[in-house]
Amino acid sequence: MALAVLSPHRPFEEAPTAAHAPLRTPSHGCARICGKMGGVTPAAERPEPPIQDAGGPAPSPVSHPDSASTASSPHAPGATVPLPVGSPEAAAGEPTGALLRPAVRLIATDLDGTLLRDDKSVSDRTVAALAAAEAAGIEVFFVTGRPARWMHVVSAHVHGHGLAICANGAAVVDLHRGGRTLEVRPLPRPKALAVVAALRTAVPGTSFAVELTSGINYEPEYPPFPVDPGATVASAEKLLSESGQDGDRPVLKLLAHHPELTPDDFLARARAAAGTHASFTRSSPTALLEISGLGVSKAATLAHCCAERGIAPEEVVAFGDMPNDVEMLSWAGASYAMANAHPDVLAATAGRTVANNEDGVALVIERILANGGRQLAPVAPPAAEPS
C-alpha cells in the first residue's frame, strides 16, 4: 500500500496561483512528540456503574517505591514496576514481585458512538478527562472514519501533537493547522473503478460517493445529505476518471450505499464480490460501506504513528463501537467496547465500559489515572448463574 507523506507546512491543498501542489516528504511526518509528564489531579470520586476492564473495576492507586530498581517513569517505553508488598493486587492473590500492568502511553479513541454523545457533543467530563490524560504524559489520538472537514467538533480538545487519524486511516491531519492533511494512504482510482464495476453486477441498486482530500462528490442516486460547496454530481465512473475534474486528487474513501439490504448483509456481499480490490468496513447504522485501499485501516495507521514514537501496542488503550474499529481494538494492548457497541466489537474486546451517552471513555481514563497511569488489572467475567 503506497503511502503519500505531505509536508506539515505545505499541506495537500490547491495553491492559490498554481496547479495542485505535489506530495512532499516532511522532516518528521507523524513523529512530532508532544510534551510529556505534567502533573494531574485525579477526578473527584463519584458513584460509578461497574465496567469490565481489559481492565475491570478500578483498583486503589498503587504507590511505587522510589528506588534504583524501580522504573524512573511509569511512561518510559515498556516500563514495568515490581508489585509492592501489601498492594491491593498482592492482597488479591498476585505474588509479590509480579509486574504491574504496562504504563499507558497513548489513548486511541473513535468519535461517533464512542467519545461523542449521540447529539455529537463532547461532555465537560470527557473534556476534563482528555486534558488530564495529556497533562499526565499520555498522548491522545482521535481515530475516526470522519473526514478532516468534520473534525471541528473535537479540534479544540486536541492537545500536544495536534494530530488525528481520519477517513478510517486514509489520512493523518493536523488539527492545530485547521485540519491540514499531512499523510495520505489513498485508494487507487483503478481499484476504485474495479470495485464499482463489481458491485454494480453483484449488488444492483448500489450508489456511490467519492471522498477526496478536497471534499466529496457523489452520484445522483446517492442519499441526500448536506453537501460541500462545489460538490460534483455524476456517475462514479466519471467521478473516478483520472482525466476528469479532481482527477489528480487522492481518493480517501469510496462510499457505497444500498437502499434495501441490511448493513451487515451488504458488507458481506460487497467483500465477497470485490474484497480483492480494496478494504471494506462500515460504521453507519444504515447500509453504507466505507471502502479504502487494501491494507488501509485505523489499526495500520495508528500502528505506523505509534512506531514512529516508539510506543508499543501493549502501551496503547483503544476505544470503539463499530466494525471499522475492530482491527484497532484487536491491535491495541488494552481495548474497550462501549455498552452500545456492535456485536463484532464486543467479540473483539476484553474490556467493557458504559455507553457513549454515559461518558464511557472518560470513566476508563479517570480510573487509569487513579491507577498511576497504568492499565487496569484484568478480572474474570462474572460466572454464569446455574440453570
Side-chain angles (χ1 to χ4, degrees):
M1 180 64 231
L3 165 64
V5 183
L6 311 179
S7 168
H9 306 294
R10 298 290 296 277
F12 191 92
E13 60 185 5
E14 186 166 349
T17 58
H20 301 310
L23 303 184
R24 300 176 183 270
T25 301
S27 58
H28 51 70
C30 189
R32 260 177 302 143
I33 308 297
C34 69
K36 297 282 185 183
M37 297 310 297
V40 59
T41 302
E45 292 187 4
R46 58 174 72 83
E48 296 290 2
I51 62 172
Q52 177 183 325
D53 292 306
S60 301
V62 178
S63 298
H64 307 304
D66 184 13
S67 68
S69 64
T70 300
S72 60
S73 167
H75 297 286
T80 55
V81 179
L83 190 64
V85 176
S87 70
E89 290 87 348
E94 292 278 2
T96 301
L99 297 180
L100 293 177
R101 301 279 284 172
V104 177
R105 298 184 61 203
L106 188 143
I107 291 168
T109 180
D110 172 54
L111 295 182
D112 297 281
T114 300
L115 188 80
L116 303 181
R117 291 185 170 180
D118 287 346
D119 63 2
K120 307 307 178 186
S121 67
V122 185
S123 72
D124 291 342
R125 179 182 181 183
T126 296
V127 169
L130 295 174
E134 292 273 7
I138 302 173
E139 298 194 54
V140 177
F141 262 74
F142 300 134
V143 188
T144 178
R146 289 183 173 221
R149 66 185 182 281
W150 289 359
M151 294 297 287
H152 58 278
V153 67
V154 292
S155 58
H157 310 304
V158 176
H159 305 273
H161 55 78
L163 303 184
I165 296 172
C166 294
N168 290 330
V172 177
V173 303
D174 188 342
L175 298 183
H176 285 172
R177 291 184 171 88
R180 294 183 180 184
T181 302
L182 304 182
E183 297 181 8
V184 173
R185 290 167 170 77
L187 170 62
R189 288 173 182 259
K191 292 291 188 181
L193 285 166
V195 169
V196 169
L199 294 190
R200 290 215 195 279
T201 300
V203 196
T206 301
S207 59
F208 298 93
V210 180
E211 182 73 55
L212 307 171
T213 54
S214 55
I216 190 168
N217 299 323
Y218 55 96
E219 293 191 309
E221 302 81 11
Y222 195 77
F225 64 101
V227 299
D228 293 348
T232 299
V233 179
S235 70
E237 289 81 1
K238 289 184 178 179
L239 297 176
L240 291 167
S241 171
E242 294 181 346
S243 61
Q245 183 179 354
D246 295 324
D248 57 346
R249 291 288 188 176
V251 175
L252 297 181
K253 290 193 297 185
L254 179 67
L255 302 172
H257 178 267
H258 199 278
E260 298 175 359
L261 295 176
T262 66
D264 289 334
D265 184 28
F266 188 27
L267 178 59
R269 292 174 64 172
R271 283 175 170 168
T276 58
H277 301 300
S279 296
F280 289 75
T281 190
R282 56 169 288 257
S283 61
S284 172
T286 65
L288 177 64
L289 305 186
E290 300 164 64
I291 305 163
S292 306
L294 281 172
V296 175
S297 67
K298 290 184 176 185
T301 303
L302 178 62
H304 173 75
C305 289
C306 287
E308 288 192 332
R309 295 161 182 268
I311 296 175
E314 57 267 24
E315 298 171 309
V316 177
V317 174
F319 299 86
D321 73 307
M322 288 298 282
N324 65 329
D325 298 316
V326 167
E327 290 171 299
M328 175 178 75
L329 296 170
S330 299
W331 175 84
S335 58
Y336 292 83
M338 312 304 292
N340 49 285
H342 186 278
D344 289 353
V345 175
L346 296 172
T349 55
R352 304 284 185 273
T353 187
V354 296
N356 61 314
N357 283 335
E358 300 174 64
D359 302 328
V361 173
L363 172 59
V364 176
I365 292 175
E366 290 164 359
R367 294 186 178 186
I368 288 171
L369 295 177
N371 194 41
R374 295 187 172 276
Q375 293 178 21
L376 305 176
V379 295
E385 291 291 334
S387 57

PDB file of all heavy atoms in Angstrom, residues 44-73:
ATOM      1  N   ALA A  44     -12.610  13.743  40.950  1.00  0.00           N
ATOM      2  CA  ALA A  44     -13.255  13.510  42.252  1.00  0.00           C
ATOM      3  C   ALA A  44     -13.997  12.192  42.231  1.00  0.00           C
ATOM      4  O   ALA A  44     -14.575  11.811  41.232  1.00  0.00           O
ATOM      5  CB  ALA A  44     -14.227  14.656  42.546  1.00  0.00           C
ATOM      6  N   GLU A  45     -13.944  11.501  43.366  1.00  0.00           N
ATOM      7  CA  GLU A  45     -14.608  10.207  43.424  1.00  0.00           C
ATOM      8  C   GLU A  45     -16.117  10.404  43.323  1.00  0.00           C
ATOM      9  O   GLU A  45     -16.688  11.324  43.879  1.00  0.00           O
ATOM     10  CB  GLU A  45     -14.255   9.498  44.727  1.00  0.00           C
ATOM     11  CG  GLU A  45     -12.793   9.089  44.791  1.00  0.00           C
ATOM     12  CD  GLU A  45     -12.526   8.247  46.018  1.00  0.00           C
ATOM     13  OE1 GLU A  45     -13.498   7.944  46.741  1.00  0.00           O
ATOM     14  OE2 GLU A  45     -11.364   7.905  46.244  1.00  0.00           O
ATOM     15  N   ARG A  46     -16.761   9.503  42.584  1.00  0.00           N
ATOM     16  CA  ARG A  46     -18.206   9.562  42.420  1.00  0.00           C
ATOM     17  C   ARG A  46     -18.717   8.143  42.244  1.00  0.00           C
ATOM     18  O   ARG A  46     -17.985   7.283  41.784  1.00  0.00           O
ATOM     19  CB  ARG A  46     -18.588  10.405  41.207  1.00  0.00           C
ATOM     20  CG  ARG A  46     -17.985   9.885  39.926  1.00  0.00           C
ATOM     21  CD  ARG A  46     -18.502  10.666  38.730  1.00  0.00           C
ATOM     22  NE  ARG A  46     -17.960  11.999  38.660  1.00  0.00           N
ATOM     23  CZ  ARG A  46     -16.782  12.297  38.140  1.00  0.00           C
ATOM     24  NH1 ARG A  46     -16.011  11.347  37.670  1.00  0.00           N
ATOM     25  NH2 ARG A  46     -16.368  13.525  38.095  1.00  0.00           N
ATOM     26  N   PRO A  47     -19.959   7.873  42.636  1.00  0.00           N
ATOM     27  CA  PRO A  47     -20.507   6.535  42.378  1.00  0.00           C
ATOM     28  C   PRO A  47     -20.528   6.277  40.882  1.00  0.00           C
ATOM     29  O   PRO A  47     -20.923   7.135  40.105  1.00  0.00           O
ATOM     30  CB  PRO A  47     -21.927   6.614  42.955  1.00  0.00           C
ATOM     31  CG  PRO A  47     -21.908   7.774  43.891  1.00  0.00           C
ATOM     32  CD  PRO A  47     -20.911   8.733  43.332  1.00  0.00           C
ATOM     33  N   GLU A  48     -20.055   5.115  40.456  1.00  0.00           N
ATOM     34  CA  GLU A  48     -19.989   4.790  39.039  1.00  0.00           C
ATOM     35  C   GLU A  48     -20.613   3.432  38.785  1.00  0.00           C
ATOM     36  O   GLU A  48     -20.547   2.540  39.626  1.00  0.00           O
ATOM     37  CB  GLU A  48     -18.528   4.733  38.558  1.00  0.00           C
ATOM     38  CG  GLU A  48     -17.784   6.052  38.652  1.00  0.00           C
ATOM     39  CD  GLU A  48     -18.278   7.068  37.641  1.00  0.00           C
ATOM     40  OE1 GLU A  48     -19.220   6.759  36.885  1.00  0.00           O
ATOM     41  OE2 GLU A  48     -17.729   8.176  37.617  1.00  0.00           O
ATOM     42  N   PRO A  49     -21.188   3.258  37.599  1.00  0.00           N
ATOM     43  CA  PRO A  49     -21.630   1.916  37.215  1.00  0.00           C
ATOM     44  C   PRO A  49     -20.414   1.034  37.001  1.00  0.00           C
ATOM     45  O   PRO A  49     -19.321   1.526  36.713  1.00  0.00           O
ATOM     46  CB  PRO A  49     -22.375   2.164  35.898  1.00  0.00           C
ATOM     47  CG  PRO A  49     -21.781   3.429  35.370  1.00  0.00           C
ATOM     48  CD  PRO A  49     -21.429   4.254  36.573  1.00  0.00           C
ATOM     49  N   PRO A  50     -20.555  -0.277  37.181  1.00  0.00           N
ATOM     50  CA  PRO A  50     -19.396  -1.159  37.003  1.00  0.00           C
ATOM     51  C   PRO A  50     -18.967  -1.217  35.552  1.00  0.00           C
ATOM     52  O   PRO A  50     -19.772  -1.073  34.634  1.00  0.00           O
ATOM     53  CB  PRO A  50     -19.924  -2.521  37.469  1.00  0.00           C
ATOM     54  CG  PRO A  50     -21.406  -2.427  37.240  1.00  0.00           C
ATOM     55  CD  PRO A  50     -21.773  -1.005  37.520  1.00  0.00           C
ATOM     56  N   ILE A  51     -17.662  -1.378  35.325  1.00  0.00           N
ATOM     57  CA  ILE A  51     -17.144  -1.646  33.994  1.00  0.00           C
ATOM     58  C   ILE A  51     -16.323  -2.915  34.068  1.00  0.00           C
ATOM     59  O   ILE A  51     -15.771  -3.259  35.107  1.00  0.00           O
ATOM     60  CB  ILE A  51     -16.275  -0.494  33.447  1.00  0.00           C
ATOM     61  CG1 ILE A  51     -15.037  -0.266  34.338  1.00  0.00           C
ATOM     62  CG2 ILE A  51     -17.059   0.776  33.295  1.00  0.00           C
ATOM     63  CD1 ILE A  51     -14.056   0.721  33.756  1.00  0.00           C
ATOM     64  N   GLN A  52     -16.282  -3.626  32.958  1.00  0.00           N
ATOM     65  CA  GLN A  52     -15.415  -4.798  32.867  1.00  0.00           C
ATOM     66  C   GLN A  52     -14.217  -4.361  32.048  1.00  0.00           C
ATOM     67  O   GLN A  52     -14.324  -4.005  30.885  1.00  0.00           O
ATOM     68  CB  GLN A  52     -16.112  -5.948  32.164  1.00  0.00           C
ATOM     69  CG  GLN A  52     -15.212  -7.164  31.974  1.00  0.00           C
ATOM     70  CD  GLN A  52     -15.911  -8.263  31.222  1.00  0.00           C
ATOM     71  OE1 GLN A  52     -17.099  -8.457  31.370  1.00  0.00           O
ATOM     72  NE2 GLN A  52     -15.161  -8.971  30.379  1.00  0.00           N
ATOM     73  N   ASP A  53     -13.062  -4.314  32.694  1.00  0.00           N
ATOM     74  CA  ASP A  53     -11.903  -3.768  32.031  1.00  0.00           C
ATOM     75  C   ASP A  53     -11.176  -4.807  31.234  1.00  0.00           C
ATOM     76  O   ASP A  53     -11.306  -5.990  31.403  1.00  0.00           O
ATOM     77  CB  ASP A  53     -10.927  -3.181  33.066  1.00  0.00           C
ATOM     78  CG  ASP A  53     -11.490  -1.953  33.726  1.00  0.00           C
ATOM     79  OD1 ASP A  53     -11.883  -1.044  33.007  1.00  0.00           O
ATOM     80  OD2 ASP A  53     -11.563  -1.928  34.963  1.00  0.00           O
ATOM     81  N   ALA A  54     -10.283  -4.228  30.437  1.00  0.00           N
ATOM     82  CA  ALA A  54      -9.237  -5.048  29.847  1.00  0.00           C
ATOM     83  C   ALA A  54      -8.145  -4.994  30.853  1.00  0.00           C
ATOM     84  O   ALA A  54      -6.988  -4.904  30.586  1.00  0.00           O
ATOM     85  CB  ALA A  54      -8.804  -4.441  28.514  1.00  0.00           C
ATOM     86  N   GLY A  55      -8.501  -4.752  31.967  1.00  0.00           N
ATOM     87  CA  GLY A  55      -9.458  -3.970  32.660  1.00  0.00           C
ATOM     88  C   GLY A  55     -10.029  -4.461  33.957  1.00  0.00           C
ATOM     89  O   GLY A  55      -9.342  -4.998  34.710  1.00  0.00           O
ATOM     90  N   GLY A  56     -11.319  -4.061  34.233  1.00  0.00           N
ATOM     91  CA  GLY A  56     -12.040  -4.349  35.451  1.00  0.00           C
ATOM     92  C   GLY A  56     -12.238  -3.150  36.336  1.00  0.00           C
ATOM     93  O   GLY A  56     -11.786  -2.082  36.031  1.00  0.00           O
ATOM     94  N   PRO A  57     -12.924  -3.292  37.447  1.00  0.00           N
ATOM     95  CA  PRO A  57     -13.126  -2.178  38.356  1.00  0.00           C
ATOM     96  C   PRO A  57     -11.807  -1.577  38.809  1.00  0.00           C
ATOM     97  O   PRO A  57     -10.807  -2.270  38.954  1.00  0.00           O
ATOM     98  CB  PRO A  57     -13.892  -2.810  39.536  1.00  0.00           C
ATOM     99  CG  PRO A  57     -14.519  -4.039  38.962  1.00  0.00           C
ATOM    100  CD  PRO A  57     -13.561  -4.519  37.912  1.00  0.00           C
ATOM    101  N   ALA A  58     -11.806  -0.282  39.014  1.00  0.00           N
ATOM    102  CA  ALA A  58     -10.559   0.410  39.311  1.00  0.00           C
ATOM    103  C   ALA A  58      -9.966  -0.049  40.628  1.00  0.00           C
ATOM    104  O   ALA A  58     -10.626   0.006  41.659  1.00  0.00           O
ATOM    105  CB  ALA A  58     -10.808   1.912  39.374  1.00  0.00           C
ATOM    106  N   PRO A  59      -8.706  -0.502  40.608  1.00  0.00           N
ATOM    107  CA  PRO A  59      -8.049  -0.807  41.876  1.00  0.00           C
ATOM    108  C   PRO A  59      -7.650   0.479  42.572  1.00  0.00           C
ATOM    109  O   PRO A  59      -7.618   1.536  41.970  1.00  0.00           O
ATOM    110  CB  PRO A  59      -6.810  -1.609  41.431  1.00  0.00           C
ATOM    111  CG  PRO A  59      -6.511  -1.085  40.076  1.00  0.00           C
ATOM    112  CD  PRO A  59      -7.842  -0.755  39.454  1.00  0.00           C
ATOM    113  N   SER A  60      -7.312   0.391  43.856  1.00  0.00           N
ATOM    114  CA  SER A  60      -6.814   1.565  44.558  1.00  0.00           C
ATOM    115  C   SER A  60      -5.481   1.975  43.971  1.00  0.00           C
ATOM    116  O   SER A  60      -4.708   1.142  43.505  1.00  0.00           O
ATOM    117  CB  SER A  60      -6.639   1.237  46.046  1.00  0.00           C
ATOM    118  OG  SER A  60      -7.870   0.824  46.602  1.00  0.00           O
ATOM    119  N   PRO A  61      -5.170   3.282  43.963  1.00  0.00           N
ATOM    120  CA  PRO A  61      -3.875   3.701  43.446  1.00  0.00           C
ATOM    121  C   PRO A  61      -2.741   3.003  44.175  1.00  0.00           C
ATOM    122  O   PRO A  61      -2.804   2.768  45.381  1.00  0.00           O
ATOM    123  CB  PRO A  61      -3.869   5.212  43.703  1.00  0.00           C
ATOM    124  CG  PRO A  61      -5.329   5.593  43.808  1.00  0.00           C
ATOM    125  CD  PRO A  61      -6.002   4.392  44.408  1.00  0.00           C
ATOM    126  N   VAL A  62      -1.676   2.681  43.425  1.00  0.00           N
ATOM    127  CA  VAL A  62      -0.537   1.970  43.978  1.00  0.00           C
ATOM    128  C   VAL A  62       0.635   2.917  44.109  1.00  0.00           C
ATOM    129  O   VAL A  62       0.969   3.632  43.166  1.00  0.00           O
ATOM    130  CB  VAL A  62      -0.139   0.786  43.071  1.00  0.00           C
ATOM    131  CG1 VAL A  62       1.084   0.079  43.623  1.00  0.00           C
ATOM    132  CG2 VAL A  62      -1.301  -0.187  42.963  1.00  0.00           C
ATOM    133  N   SER A  63       1.247   2.975  45.281  1.00  0.00           N
ATOM    134  CA  SER A  63       2.449   3.782  45.467  1.00  0.00           C
ATOM    135  C   SER A  63       3.660   2.934  45.105  1.00  0.00           C
ATOM    136  O   SER A  63       3.853   1.860  45.658  1.00  0.00           O
ATOM    137  CB  SER A  63       2.553   4.247  46.928  1.00  0.00           C
ATOM    138  OG  SER A  63       1.443   5.055  47.270  1.00  0.00           O
ATOM    139  N   HIS A  64       4.471   3.439  44.188  1.00  0.00           N
ATOM    140  CA  HIS A  64       5.626   2.677  43.733  1.00  0.00           C
ATOM    141  C   HIS A  64       6.880   3.127  44.475  1.00  0.00           C
ATOM    142  O   HIS A  64       7.131   4.321  44.618  1.00  0.00           O
ATOM    143  CB  HIS A  64       5.826   2.889  42.234  1.00  0.00           C
ATOM    144  CG  HIS A  64       4.596   2.612  41.449  1.00  0.00           C
ATOM    145  ND1 HIS A  64       3.936   1.407  41.500  1.00  0.00           N
ATOM    146  CD2 HIS A  64       3.865   3.393  40.614  1.00  0.00           C
ATOM    147  CE1 HIS A  64       2.878   1.440  40.734  1.00  0.00           C
ATOM    148  NE2 HIS A  64       2.810   2.639  40.184  1.00  0.00           N
ATOM    149  N   PRO A  65       7.706   2.198  44.963  1.00  0.00           N
ATOM    150  CA  PRO A  65       8.911   2.571  45.695  1.00  0.00           C
ATOM    151  C   PRO A  65       9.831   3.401  44.822  1.00  0.00           C
ATOM    152  O   PRO A  65      10.000   3.143  43.646  1.00  0.00           O
ATOM    153  CB  PRO A  65       9.551   1.206  46.030  1.00  0.00           C
ATOM    154  CG  PRO A  65       8.454   0.213  45.882  1.00  0.00           C
ATOM    155  CD  PRO A  65       7.537   0.756  44.837  1.00  0.00           C
ATOM    156  N   ASP A  66      10.412   4.426  45.408  1.00  0.00           N
ATOM    157  CA  ASP A  66      11.345   5.284  44.680  1.00  0.00           C
ATOM    158  C   ASP A  66      12.746   4.740  44.918  1.00  0.00           C
ATOM    159  O   ASP A  66      13.450   5.145  45.833  1.00  0.00           O
ATOM    160  CB  ASP A  66      11.219   6.729  45.174  1.00  0.00           C
ATOM    161  CG  ASP A  66      12.097   7.677  44.376  1.00  0.00           C
ATOM    162  OD1 ASP A  66      12.580   7.247  43.306  1.00  0.00           O
ATOM    163  OD2 ASP A  66      12.307   8.820  44.816  1.00  0.00           O
ATOM    164  N   SER A  67      13.169   3.788  44.086  1.00  0.00           N
ATOM    165  CA  SER A  67      14.473   3.166  44.265  1.00  0.00           C
ATOM    166  C   SER A  67      15.080   2.891  42.916  1.00  0.00           C
ATOM    167  O   SER A  67      14.434   2.994  41.888  1.00  0.00           O
ATOM    168  CB  SER A  67      14.347   1.857  45.048  1.00  0.00           C
ATOM    169  OG  SER A  67      13.668   0.897  44.262  1.00  0.00           O
ATOM    170  N   ALA A  68      16.351   2.514  42.929  1.00  0.00           N
ATOM    171  CA  ALA A  68      17.054   2.247  41.676  1.00  0.00           C
ATOM    172  C   ALA A  68      16.459   1.080  40.941  1.00  0.00           C
ATOM    173  O   ALA A  68      16.611   0.958  39.726  1.00  0.00           O
ATOM    174  CB  ALA A  68      18.542   1.987  41.974  1.00  0.00           C
ATOM    175  N   SER A  69      15.786   0.176  41.638  1.00  0.00           N
ATOM    176  CA  SER A  69      15.224  -0.998  40.989  1.00  0.00           C
ATOM    177  C   SER A  69      13.876  -0.721  40.347  1.00  0.00           C
ATOM    178  O   SER A  69      13.325  -1.571  39.683  1.00  0.00           O
ATOM    179  CB  SER A  69      15.064  -2.135  42.009  1.00  0.00           C
ATOM    180  OG  SER A  69      14.133  -1.746  43.009  1.00  0.00           O
ATOM    181  N   THR A  70      13.325   0.485  40.568  1.00  0.00           N
ATOM    182  CA  THR A  70      12.023   0.835  40.028  1.00  0.00           C
ATOM    183  C   THR A  70      12.211   1.694  38.791  1.00  0.00           C
ATOM    184  O   THR A  70      13.076   2.546  38.761  1.00  0.00           O
ATOM    185  CB  THR A  70      11.205   1.614  41.077  1.00  0.00           C
ATOM    186  OG1 THR A  70      11.046   0.792  42.218  1.00  0.00           O
ATOM    187  CG2 THR A  70       9.842   2.007  40.531  1.00  0.00           C
ATOM    188  N   ALA A  71      11.374   1.498  37.758  1.00  0.00           N
ATOM    189  CA  ALA A  71      11.462   2.298  36.545  1.00  0.00           C
ATOM    190  C   ALA A  71      11.377   3.768  36.914  1.00  0.00           C
ATOM    191  O   ALA A  71      10.581   4.178  37.742  1.00  0.00           O
ATOM    192  CB  ALA A  71      10.329   1.926  35.584  1.00  0.00           C
ATOM    193  N   SER A  72      12.209   4.621  36.278  1.00  0.00           N
ATOM    194  CA  SER A  72      12.263   6.030  36.616  1.00  0.00           C
ATOM    195  C   SER A  72      10.986   6.749  36.275  1.00  0.00           C
ATOM    196  O   SER A  72      10.642   7.751  36.881  1.00  0.00           O
ATOM    197  CB  SER A  72      13.439   6.686  35.889  1.00  0.00           C
ATOM    198  OG  SER A  72      13.277   6.552  34.489  1.00  0.00           O
ATOM    199  N   SER A  73      10.244   6.283  35.283  1.00  0.00           N
ATOM    200  CA  SER A  73       8.987   6.910  34.906  1.00  0.00           C
ATOM    201  C   SER A  73       8.006   5.835  34.474  1.00  0.00           C
ATOM    202  O   SER A  73       8.359   4.962  33.695  1.00  0.00           O
ATOM    203  CB  SER A  73       9.200   7.893  33.747  1.00  0.00           C
ATOM    204  OG  SER A  73       7.953   8.266  33.199  1.00  0.00           O
TER     205      SER A  73
END
